[in-house]
Amino acid sequence: MDVGKAREHKPNQIVRLKVYGVQKPGSVIQMNLYWACCQTVANVMNDLDRKEWNTKNKVDFGCRVELHFVDPELVIVRPDKSVQFHYRSIAFKNLKHIERCSYFDEAFKVMAKVIDNTVEMLQEMAKSNMKG
């Protein structure tokens, strides 16, 4: 709950809300590694002046596209027969742990291939750039 929402309640008021937690401590570590790898790839691509994957958000989206990580309930077929896909979120509340692990395993392979390296080397580069 953010500060703005908290101010809407009286002191000691009982609040019922849905809390999204992390079921496995490794999930946070894995998510942080994923974003660090996205940033590492973005840095390499930026250095090569390749703008299609030069931010961590572009890398993240590029992985989802490459892996066709779409939400099957949000596929739109237009009257002209073109298809529009909506890509799934990797947020803790939207994916089960095993689904997220499977996605990350494949995404790491995609990112490593983009920078012409191994998954292990990509992860080591990312870990060395991670804070704390």
Side-chain angles (χ1 to χ4, degrees):
M1 184 171 2
D2 66 12
V3 175
K5 288 278 186 193
R7 287 189 181 130
E8 295 175 6
H9 303 285
K10 297 174 187 169
N12 302 316
Q13 178 181 350
I14 295 173
V15 179
R16 298 189 198 312
L17 54 99
K18 189 167 185 177
V19 177
Y20 298 105
V22 178
Q23 296 175 349
K24 298 182 183 277
S27 295
V28 173
I29 294 167
Q30 186 183 45
M31 183 72 83
N32 288 343
L33 179 60
Y34 174 78
W35 286 111
C37 285
C38 286
Q39 186 61 58
T40 299
V41 171
N43 292 344
V44 170
M45 298 305 276
N46 198 41
D47 289 346
L48 297 173
D49 202 30
R50 298 205 28 220
K51 306 223 182 299
E52 63 275 7
W53 287 48
N54 67 347
T55 69
K56 72 179 181 180
N57 289 332
K58 287 180 182 179
V59 174
D60 171 49
F61 187 72
C63 287
R64 293 176 206 217
V65 171
E66 183 73 24
L67 296 171
H68 198 63
F69 196 64
V70 298
D71 185 340
E73 295 182 21
L74 289 175
V75 176
I76 299 168
V77 179
R78 298 181 181 277
D80 67 356
K81 306 286 190 252
S82 64
V83 179
Q84 180 177 346
F85 298 104
H86 290 266
Y87 294 91
R88 294 177 71 185
S89 167
I90 59 171
F92 290 120
K93 68 180 183 177
N94 296 330
L95 284 181
K96 292 180 182 172
H97 178 74
I98 194 69
E99 290 176 302
R100 200 170 35 260
C101 287
S102 178
Y103 171 77
F104 287 151
D105 288 345
E106 295 305 311
F108 290 139
K109 291 175 189 174
V110 169
M111 287 187 259
K113 185 178 176 183
V114 166
I115 62 170
D116 195 30
N117 221 318
T118 65
V119 171
E120 294 77 19
M121 185 57 75
L122 167 65
Q123 291 178 346
E124 285 304 313
M125 291 166 55
K127 286 176 186 176
S128 71
N129 292 328
M130 289 173 78
K131 296 176 184 167

